[in-house]
Amino acid sequence: MFCVLRKVCWRRPGARRGVCTRHPTPAPRVRFAPSPTGFLHLGGLRTALYNYLFSRQRGGAFLLRLEDTDRSRLVPGATDDIEDMLEWAGIPPDESCRRGGDYGPYVQSERLQLYSQAASTLLQTGHAYYCFCSNQRLDLLKRDAQRSGQVPRYDNRCREVPPEQVQQKLAQGTPCVIRFKLDSGAEVFQDLIFGWTRHDPAAAEGDPVILKADGFPTYHLASVVDDHHMNISHVLRGSEWLISTSKHLQLFRALRWTPPAYAHLPLLLNRDGTKLSKRQGDIFVQRFREQGVLPETLLDIVTHAGSGFSDNRIGRRLDELVCEFNISKITTHSALLDLDKLDEFNRVHLQHRIEDEEHCAVLLDELRQQVLHTHGSRISDRSVLEPHYMQRVLQLRKGHVCSLRELLDHTHTYLWIRPKVTRQQLQEVSTEVDDITAAVMQLVASSGSFLSTEHLNSELKLIASRLKNTKYSGAMRVLRLALSAQQQGPSVAEMMVSLGEQEVCVRLQKALEANTP
Ligand code: GLU
């Protein structure tokens, strides 16, 4: 088993040296801890992926924990979507609600007892207190602060409630929450990405609620309790949580637990520097999947934005991401996600799939379904549904198309359906239609089979050079029209190789014979 040295550093301001303890720990345990308040989006996928890469590289475990304590914001279906999308992306958790594991339950609403135990411990040791302030009082504090242009904060009044009064109020069943006593003075800690970091939560906010009136914990308590009980060694999460980390470290210390190491990932932004918003609706993983984006494309593109690699080449697959990932290469500046490059990434990854026998078999199946779905009854020659035909199409089109769906657009209809073209249409392009088609049919008859597009290209050039009144481009327009009824598309040679000799002859013949469309 791989073993890492975990370094936990504490340093108070003014102290000469931080307390550095080195614990030999087993392989790392990391977690992705989304709130099921929405479906999995690219920001979440990036956090999950970096956790996955970190754990795989060190032979550790990657777990999925659902942080569902904010009951009012739960979105139906989000829990399933998150795990479904991780599975689809090829980065399934080792432990989760669905998969089980030794540290469950993996959803916070089923761990309430652990949080109330921790809150009791904090009450007993004087690190927490009951707060009986009414909502009206808290609203008043908020409004007063806003009126004087200050950030609203709780004034810690209930810290001072005498113990007898607390007991009395509890006995009377007065609604209350539990708050954590923040230490004043900033503690510095070493983030694996941001380096030495310092935040003084007590300077910015009042004592935070850790257990709400309904018995549910707030995020801060729940995440600390779970990171401890789930034996999490490294927390890799978005940098929006960096300023909360001091608070988490205070909680760990108050509970006398060893904190994990922290690594905060830079913010993920749109290419124009705006916040990657879930509300735009177009960053949900599910949406990309529906659009035919390959999972490896999404993984590759989010690592381009998030850094963590020595170079930025396109086309890294998951095993390569695992090998090449280097946490020390993650930068602190915001990462810009360039979704305009999605097609380019997908083209490269689709090509990889086509070149891989196992993946290609799946693609053939998908393509067949899609062709049937799109063109169905209009397909006159069923042999276009044969694997050997489709395989040839994929081999010829790889590196040109970005998705299978592209093979169904109008420029590719000729692959599946015979075009309707008339002799007259061809004659509008050239006066030598008969010479051109006759020469091509003779080529087909003599060669028996098309060897390659290169070979055909030179043969077509030769045929065109023998024409009296038609240039090479004109001859190609005639052939393109006869074979596809299109003015644009793949090269004529490629069209001929995909269609096969017999079909080329049939189409040329039909076009010559047809006087009406
Ligand atoms: N539930 C938090 C979120 O959705 C997790 C933060 C953390 O990883 O600690 O962002």
Side-chain angles (χ1 to χ4, degrees):
M1 258 299 207
F2 194 95
C3 227
V4 287
L5 280 182
R6 191 163 101 212
K7 193 175 167 195
V8 180
C9 297
W10 299 97
R11 190 146 68 107
R12 287 203 153 271
R16 266 191 311 128
R17 190 88 196 94
V19 184
C20 291
T21 46
R22 277 171 183 273
H23 303 287
T25 57
R29 288 178 54 79
V30 295
R31 85 304 194 272
F32 172 47
S35 301
T37 50
F39 291 178
L40 187 67
H41 58 87
L42 289 184
L45 183 74
R46 198 263 312 241
T47 306
L49 173 63
Y50 279 32
N51 274 285
Y52 179 90
L53 297 178
F54 189 80
S55 72
R56 283 297 168 276
Q57 212 172 49
R58 294 165 170 76
F62 164 57
L63 62 95
L64 171 64
R65 178 172 83 218
L66 292 160
E67 303 204 329
D68 63 343
T69 56
D70 189 350
R71 310 302 290 168
S72 61
R73 293 178 55 225
L74 298 184
V75 168
T79 295
D80 277 334
D81 175 81
I82 291 168
E83 194 155 359
D84 286 348
M85 290 305 104
L86 293 182
E87 285 174 5
W88 172 76
I91 52 169
D94 301 308
E95 300 168 28
S96 69
C97 296
R98 201 176 277 177
R99 287 171 188 255
D102 294 340
Y103 296 82
Y106 291 89
V107 56
Q108 289 186 329
S109 55
E110 292 173 23
R111 302 171 63 83
L112 298 185
Q113 210 180 340
L114 290 171
Y115 313 128
S116 77
Q117 263 167 20
S120 302
T121 307
L122 291 170
L123 284 169
Q124 278 159 22
T125 53
H127 288 101
Y129 59 92
Y130 288 104
C131 169
F132 301 96
C133 290
S134 63
N135 285 338
Q136 287 95 309
R137 176 167 194 275
L138 297 175
D139 282 347
L140 211 63
L141 280 180
K142 205 186 276 178
R143 260 181 282 138
D144 279 354
Q146 280 161 348
R147 217 171 295 138
S148 52
Q150 284 173 348
V151 184
R153 50 187 288 173
Y154 178 59
D155 59 0
N156 301 349
R157 184 165 89 164
C158 286
R159 271 195 190 201
E160 313 306 334
V161 182
E164 322 73 70
Q165 226 178 67
V166 170
Q167 289 315 318
Q168 200 184 353
K169 280 180 184 286
L170 288 176
Q172 287 165 352
T174 314
C176 64
V177 297
I178 297 176
R179 289 185 187 267
F180 177 63
K181 273 188 203 165
L182 284 178
D183 275 350
S184 49
E187 181 151 36
V188 293
F189 66 94
Q190 195 175 28
D191 185 84
L192 292 175
I193 294 166
F194 282 77
W196 287 104
T197 305
R198 173 189 182 139
H199 289 288
D200 182 2
E205 57 181 302
D207 290 338
V209 174
I210 50 173
L211 208 69
K212 295 180 279 187
D214 61 3
F216 274 81
T218 54
Y219 156 71
H220 301 290
L221 178 70
S223 104
V224 162
V225 168
D226 287 344
D227 286 342
H228 169 73
H229 286 297
M230 291 179 167
N231 210 11
I232 298 301
S233 61
H234 296 77
V235 168
L236 275 69
R237 63 183 174 193
S239 60
E240 66 271 29
W241 299 108
L242 187 61
I243 54 166
S244 300
T245 306
S246 300
K247 205 184 301 174
H248 297 173
L249 289 171
Q250 286 194 20
L251 278 163
F252 271 106
R253 185 145 36 85
L255 288 160
R256 298 178 168 276
W257 293 337
T258 306
Y262 288 92
H264 286 87
L265 305 169
L267 267 187
L268 198 55
L269 301 176
N270 295 311
R271 200 173 56 133
D272 62 2
T274 56
K275 193 166 179 274
L276 197 67
S277 170
K278 289 182 238 178
R279 268 169 237 117
Q280 289 169 351
D282 53 2
I283 56 156
F284 290 113
V285 175
Q286 176 72 51
R287 184 75 69 88
F288 291 102
R289 180 190 183 175
E290 284 159 11
Q291 287 164 358
V293 175
L294 297 169
E296 54 270 37
T297 297
L298 279 190
L299 299 183
D300 197 10
I301 202 163
V302 296
T303 60
H304 272 243
S307 63
F309 295 85
S310 308
D311 61 0
N312 248 1
R313 75 194 152 83
I314 297 181
R316 262 188 287 245
R317 279 166 289 195
L318 187 55
D319 53 340
E320 292 163 313
L321 290 175
V322 171
C323 284
E324 294 175 34
F325 174 63
N326 181 347
I327 195 165
S328 70
K329 296 269 179 212
I330 297 182
T331 55
T332 55
H333 49 77
S334 299
L336 302 185
L337 184 62
D338 189 358
L339 289 178
D340 289 345
K341 293 217 179 107
L342 205 61
D343 279 350
E344 195 180 337
F345 275 76
N346 218 41
R347 188 171 52 236
V348 174
H349 284 288
L350 182 62
Q351 173 158 3
H352 285 163
R353 283 205 175 201
I354 293 171
E355 284 163 359
D356 175 276
E357 210 175 306
E358 218 170 288
H359 276 126
C360 190
V362 179
L363 289 178
L364 289 176
D365 229 41
E366 278 173 31
L367 182 59
R368 188 172 191 280
Q369 310 270 357
Q370 292 188 19
V371 172
L372 275 170
H373 183 257
T374 311
H375 298 301
S377 56
R378 295 196 295 141
I379 302 171
S380 45
D381 178 3
R382 307 293 286 182
S383 66
V384 297
L385 298 170
E386 297 289 332
H388 67 89
Y389 178 80
M390 294 210 167
Q391 176 127 33
R392 199 160 69 217
V393 169
L394 286 182
Q395 291 300 339
L396 288 161
R397 292 279 71 210
K398 74 181 181 200
H400 296 285
V401 292
C402 303
S403 66
L404 286 189
R405 215 161 292 183
E406 226 178 287
L407 292 173
L408 303 167
D409 67 17
H410 74 281
T411 45
H412 293 101
T413 306
Y414 76 93
L415 287 167
W416 322 110
I417 297 170
R418 280 189 188 138
K420 290 200 167 71
V421 194
T422 62
R423 170 184 272 275
Q424 200 187 340
Q425 280 174 293
L426 302 184
Q427 280 171 342
E428 279 166 20
V429 181
S430 164
T431 51
E432 292 168 294
V433 167
D434 287 303
D435 297 329
I436 298 167
T437 49
V440 170
M441 285 200 264
Q442 201 190 334
L443 171 68
V444 173
S446 65
S447 72
S449 69
F450 298 144
L451 300 172
S452 64
T453 47
E454 292 78 31
H455 167 75
L456 263 182
N457 266 331
S458 49
E459 292 292 335
L460 290 173
K461 281 205 181 94
L462 208 61
I463 290 174
S465 70
R466 294 194 190 117
L467 298 170
K468 290 196 200 84
N469 305 318
T470 314
K471 289 193 192 145
Y472 173 75
S473 59
M476 291 310 107
R477 275 171 63 208
V478 167
L479 291 170
R480 181 185 297 284
L481 209 53
L483 296 175
S484 69
Q486 292 286 323
Q487 312 265 20
Q488 277 164 349
S491 73
V492 170
E494 189 194 308
M495 280 185 171
M496 290 172 70
V497 176
S498 355
L499 292 171
E501 313 78 47
Q502 212 180 329
E503 182 64 16
V504 167
C505 287
V506 169
R507 290 189 184 193
L508 295 181
Q509 200 63 55
K510 273 188 169 295
L512 292 179
E513 286 162 7
N515 290 319
T516 47

